[in-house]
Amino acid sequence: MSTNAVIDDPAQLERFRQAQAFHQSGQLAEASAIYEQLLAENADDINAMQSLGLLAHQLGDNEKARDMLERSAALAPESAFIQNNLGQVYLATGQVDRAEQAMLKATQINPDMVEPLLGLAEVYRYKQDWQRSANCYGIVLERDAKHVAALTG
């Protein structure tokens, strides 16, 4: 869940790490509360913002997820991680063209990242562009011949 944004305040970093631990262990209410507190203290806290967006998406609150991730993308436009997650939210809300744009941007920012390629494969499946979908899965499999999502896509 990293955007590579540096947290200088040791206390804030500790709270963010605690929120991440809650998030990763499925204690989503606890994680959300800490992310919200961090944002209340600093409205531009990119780490808390993008993490809260991801959490909201996981909970099915795609409106909140979109808001948090669009704000995150405005603050960190060169984060492939944020662009990919934003693309996933767009896809979940039926905004297929916007999903494609975000995921393409993620692949341009970080060509080695496979998650946006998997997302693009889904976008192209949705558009019934089977060749482009297969090409995306093929690229992932070239990088990792045992990648489960690419093998089962």
Side-chain angles (χ1 to χ4, degrees):
M1 280 189 265
S2 173
T3 63
N4 297 325
V6 177
I7 300 174
D8 293 325
D9 178 358
Q12 184 182 14
L13 178 59
E14 180 56 34
R15 288 173 47 220
F16 179 72
R17 286 182 176 158
Q18 182 183 25
Q20 281 187 308
F22 282 139
H23 194 161
Q24 292 169 353
S25 69
Q27 298 173 337
L28 303 183
E30 293 86 348
S32 180
I34 296 171
Y35 294 145
E36 293 279 3
Q37 289 170 354
L38 291 168
L39 281 172
E41 294 167 14
N42 176 3
D44 290 337
D45 183 333
I46 188 75
N47 294 297
M49 190 182 305
Q50 63 89 22
S51 295
L52 186 59
L54 182 58
L55 188 148
H57 177 57
Q58 290 168 322
L59 292 174
D61 186 351
N62 288 314
E63 185 175 327
K64 182 175 186 174
R66 185 184 63 242
D67 178 54
M68 291 289 109
L69 291 169
E70 284 178 345
R71 287 176 53 203
S72 297
L75 292 170
E78 295 305 311
S79 170
F81 180 80
I82 291 172
Q83 290 296 327
N84 179 63
N85 287 332
L86 184 56
Q88 292 297 330
V89 170
Y90 286 148
L91 189 58
T93 58
Q95 298 175 70
V96 179
D97 291 334
R98 292 181 83 183
E100 181 180 19
Q101 291 171 358
M103 291 174 190
L104 284 171
K105 184 170 183 179
T107 63
Q108 291 166 353
I109 295 166
N110 184 350
D112 296 326
M113 190 174 171
V114 297
E115 291 83 1
L117 288 168
L118 292 170
L120 282 168
E122 288 301 310
V123 164
Y124 298 135
R125 284 175 59 177
Y126 186 86
K127 291 182 170 190
Q128 298 184 353
D129 187 339
W130 311 119
Q131 185 61 51
R132 288 173 84 183
S133 180
N135 288 345
C136 290
Y137 285 128
I139 293 168
V140 172
L141 289 171
E142 284 175 8
R143 294 179 186 168
D144 179 1
K146 296 180 182 179
H147 197 287
V148 173
L151 288 170
T152 59

